Amino acid sequence: MSHPHLNLAAPAPLPEKGLRVTALGGLGEVGRNMTVFEFGRKLLVVDCGVLFPEEHHPGIDVILPDFTSIRHRLDDVVAIVLTHGHEDHIGAVPYLLRERPDIPLVASTLTLAFIKAKLVEHRITPVTTEVREGQREQLGPFNCEFLAVNHSIPDSLAVAIRTPAGMVLHTGDFKMDQFPLDGRLTDLPGFGRLGQEGVDLLLIDSTNAEVPGFTISERDLIPAIETVFRTAPRRIIVSSFASHVHRIQQVLDAAAAHGRKVAFVGRSMVRNMGIARDLGYLKVPDGLIVDPKQLAELPDEHIVLVCTGSQGEPMAALSRMANRDHHQVRIGPGDTVLLASSLIPGNENAIYRVINGLTRWGATVVHKGNARVHVSGHASAGELVYCYNIIKPRNVMPVHGEWRHLRANADLAIATGVPEDRVVVAEDGLVVDLVAGRAQITGKVTAGYVYVDGETVGGATEALLRDRRTLAEEGVITVIAIVDTESGRLTEPPDFLARGFIHDATSFDAVIPAIEKALAAAAEDGVGDPRQLERLIGRAVGRWAHRALRSNPLVIPVVIDA
């Protein structure tokens, strides 16, 4: 099994008949999935997702893959193939298209609909090619064949990439549910056919490689969801990823059966479910969905709220409810909260804190720790072994998972007879070359975290996050103003000292007029007490920071009487 070498240099030029595979995200983490394939001086990108921040990333919205290694070659990118519509596979597309808006996007109907809706907010109209299982597309030197795979979102695809260097099969996220809600099975005959043709390199989902046996079917959740709807005395609040169409279908079916109305809460949830409904992926009985504003007119026992965070992450809205600062939902005794999403690895502590917070306000919290209300969208060890046996790949590169998942998947491949020296356990940024039928790590490129912080992409650094963690808030601005308290005028421009967000020498020029206006109004009202002036300046700077920096820093105003 080849292991990463920490002191690798940049890779040598790619041999003429070689295929280069570089993961810029998704290895050693669950999220940020992005893999770049290179052949004949052309690049093909498969997936371009985000990673959701953990507790030690205060103030960060999402984390992107690092595009540095391909930035100077964006004109060589022939397409971005998207395997499915989850945020950890499509969320970073707008940021890559900002750098070259006409890179073609190749994906299935639902995936393209989700990404187009996202791009509207970024004012980008993409160039798209809609594909479905069984279709083949020539994308530059890459001949791509798409195969149906079953996952926790409809319309997921695996992609077989044929080049003169050999064939790569990238499974995307998949499982082998034998009773899928939408009747769309993973195309195992297709996998077998590709195996007979000869798969030179298999990139395969590792998320559940440590879990023995087979992932249970989505249908196995129905009894637990049914129990919640039968026994909940008051409102039911369901938390789910905004793209989890199958799970939300089950919730809608249960609500209809028990005479409850459903309201979607959260911008991405409302948007995605509207798209899924319009395209026929979500079956919604007439009159079932109501606007959240109408809920006040309904008795609690007839209400279901389906919520998510602003980015589509499930915990954001719930943590606001637990902290009593959600603008629409106030949790109380008798409410039942159903966590219908997976716990993202690494976030368990934060999630249990939210569960405790909700319980404190009297809610009953139903989660995968105490009921069968979630089933993974990923293949367990039994399914992975099954795939190795029917595909018989010549080389294997486990993808999509933390170190322990990748290593467990590598061990499964070896157990099925893949030679140990043909199993490549890589990490983000390691370059794997497939040359003459053999895959090996040959170098390393930059693949660090790129933080999105409000409107700023890449400005936030580890040092900045360290400051924020220390402050455990949203930064501090100290304003020192020398004021003629009689006239209400600044005798010189104020000094600003700031910690914990991105700024430079001119960042605060824009707030000075607001300070001058507040002081002039105070002088007019005969207010000259420095303490009161400090309060006025604090408010003016706070309002400006909220509007201009999308931040709510602690403002410390200091007024010196001239």
Side-chain angles (χ1 to χ4, degrees), residues 43-272:
L43 304 177
L44 175 73
V45 175
V46 174
D47 290 331
C48 189
V50 295
L51 181 67
F52 288 120
E54 293 180 29
E55 291 172 295
H56 54 275
H57 301 126
I60 298 302
D61 298 323
V62 289
I63 303 167
L64 306 178
D66 189 336
F67 305 143
T68 305
S69 63
I70 60 168
R71 188 164 276 125
H72 63 295
R73 301 187 53 192
L74 287 179
D75 288 340
D76 295 337
V77 178
V78 295
I80 304 170
V81 169
L82 301 165
T83 57
H84 64 283
H86 280 152
E87 282 297 302
D88 61 332
H89 293 258
I90 67 169
V93 169
Y95 300 94
L96 188 53
L97 292 190
R98 277 185 190 181
E99 304 196 22
R100 188 191 140 201
D102 65 341
I103 303 175
L105 305 181
V106 181
S108 62
T109 309
L110 185 66
T111 309
L112 276 184
F114 279 1
I115 188 64
K116 280 179 183 167
K118 272 177 103 49
L119 287 167
V120 168
E121 292 174 27
H122 292 260
R123 297 187 181 81
I124 295 171
T125 306
V127 177
T128 60
T129 300
E130 192 172 297
V131 293
R132 52 179 300 117
E133 55 263 32
Q135 197 166 327
R136 279 172 83 150
E137 286 290 322
Q138 190 70 38
L139 305 169
F142 306 95
N143 183 275
C144 295
E145 178 182 351
F146 300 93
L147 296 95
V149 290
N150 179 258
H151 186 42
S152 51
I153 182 173
D155 248 5
S156 299
L157 297 169
V159 58
I161 303 166
R162 292 176 175 88
T163 70
M167 189 214 302
V168 179
L169 173 57
H170 190 319
T171 65
D173 289 6
F174 84 108
K175 59 177 172 176
M176 287 161 40
D177 192 337
Q178 299 305 300
F179 303 99
L181 293 176
D182 58 2
R184 189 171 171 274
L185 293 159
T186 290
D187 185 6
L188 296 177
F191 282 5
R193 173 175 53 78
L194 293 173
Q196 284 176 331
E197 184 182 328
V199 172
D200 296 288
L201 177 60
L202 175 63
L203 273 61
I204 182 166
D205 180 1
S206 307
T207 318
N208 273 355
E210 291 184 306
V211 181
F214 280 60
T215 302
I216 61 170
S217 172
E218 293 277 345
R219 286 179 198 268
D220 291 350
L221 305 186
I222 293 171
I225 293 173
E226 179 66 26
T227 302
V228 168
F229 276 79
R230 199 176 61 248
T231 59
R234 288 187 59 213
R235 297 180 301 179
I236 298 172
I237 294 119
V238 179
S239 162
S240 172
F241 282 108
S243 50
H244 208 333
V245 179
H246 291 327
R247 196 63 41 82
I248 288 157
Q249 181 69 65
Q250 290 173 311
V251 168
L252 296 183
D253 293 346
H258 290 271
R260 287 178 179 257
K261 300 286 189 191
V262 177
F264 292 128
V265 179
R267 200 171 40 125
S268 48
M269 180 67 80
V270 171
R271 181 185 72 201
N272 284 359

Side-chain angles (χ1 to χ4, degrees), residues 192-447:
R193 173 175 53 78
L194 293 173
Q196 284 176 331
E197 184 182 328
V199 172
D200 296 288
L201 177 60
L202 175 63
L203 273 61
I204 182 166
D205 180 1
S206 307
T207 318
N208 273 355
E210 291 184 306
V211 181
F214 280 60
T215 302
I216 61 170
S217 172
E218 293 277 345
R219 286 179 198 268
D220 291 350
L221 305 186
I222 293 171
I225 293 173
E226 179 66 26
T227 302
V228 168
F229 276 79
R230 199 176 61 248
T231 59
R234 288 187 59 213
R235 297 180 301 179
I236 298 172
I237 294 119
V238 179
S239 162
S240 172
F241 282 108
S243 50
H244 208 333
V245 179
H246 291 327
R247 196 63 41 82
I248 288 157
Q249 181 69 65
Q250 290 173 311
V251 168
L252 296 183
D253 293 346
H258 290 271
R260 287 178 179 257
K261 300 286 189 191
V262 177
F264 292 128
V265 179
R267 200 171 40 125
S268 48
M269 180 67 80
V270 171
R271 181 185 72 201
N272 284 359
M273 291 309 119
I275 291 167
R277 181 184 192 170
D278 292 345
L279 294 174
Y281 291 95
L282 193 67
K283 309 279 185 286
V284 185
D286 287 344
L288 183 70
I289 306 288
V290 297
D291 189 279
K293 295 187 187 74
Q294 294 171 258
L295 294 179
E297 301 152 27
L298 290 171
D300 281 348
E301 64 273 17
H302 289 172
I303 291 175
V304 180
L305 291 158
V306 179
C307 67
T308 195
S310 61
Q311 298 282 353
E313 74 282 26
M315 295 311 295
L318 276 194
S319 59
R320 287 201 297 276
M321 291 176 202
N323 295 335
R324 275 283 197 255
D325 63 357
H326 194 282
H327 66 293
Q328 280 175 307
V329 184
R330 195 173 172 82
I331 295 289
D335 284 340
T336 302
V337 178
L338 175 61
L339 268 64
S341 287
S342 57
L343 310 187
I344 296 174
N347 278 4
E348 291 90 351
N349 288 347
I351 289 164
Y352 283 117
R353 201 158 43 248
V354 169
I355 291 172
N356 284 325
L358 295 166
T359 308
R360 179 183 166 206
W361 304 119
T364 301
V365 184
V366 181
H367 55 93
K368 75 173 200 180
N370 61 18
R372 187 172 273 186
V373 288
H374 171 70
V375 31
S376 175
H378 302 272
S380 297
E383 291 151 273
L384 296 173
V385 165
Y386 201 101
C387 287
Y388 287 129
N389 284 336
I390 59 173
I391 296 168
K392 296 198 167 33
R394 296 185 181 122
N395 297 269
V396 170
M397 180 175 162
V399 293
H400 201 283
E402 298 178 356
W403 264 105
R404 59 198 171 95
H405 306 125
L406 302 177
R407 185 58 53 77
N409 202 356
D411 290 341
L412 295 175
I414 293 163
T416 63
V418 181
E420 194 167 329
D421 63 348
R422 298 293 187 103
V423 179
V424 181
V425 180
E427 60 184 7
D428 294 343
L430 288 183
V431 174
V432 176
D433 286 349
L434 178 68
V435 180
R438 224 189 157 81
Q440 286 177 312
I441 293 170
T442 59
K444 191 172 189 176
V445 298
T446 311

Side-chain angles (χ1 to χ4, degrees), residues 478-531:
T478 305
V479 190
I480 301 166
I482 302 172
V483 182
D484 176 345
T485 48
E486 278 177 28
S487 67
R489 293 204 174 174
L490 293 167
T491 59
E492 57 184 81
D495 281 333
F496 296 91
L497 305 171
R499 292 293 298 272
F501 50 80
I502 304 154
H503 63 281
D504 58 29
T506 61
S507 292
F508 300 100
D509 291 355
V511 73
I512 296 173
I515 293 173
E516 288 171 334
K517 193 172 160 193
L519 291 172
E524 226 169 82
D525 291 342
V527 174
D529 175 51
R531 298 286 85 71

Side-chain angles (χ1 to χ4, degrees), residues 461-484:
T461 60
E462 285 299 335
L464 179 87
L465 292 189
R466 218 170 21 250
D467 278 351
R468 287 191 181 166
R469 287 193 284 269
T470 308
L471 295 163
E473 283 159 16
E474 298 207 62
V476 173
I477 303 175
T478 305
V479 190
I480 301 166
I482 302 172
V483 182
D484 176 345

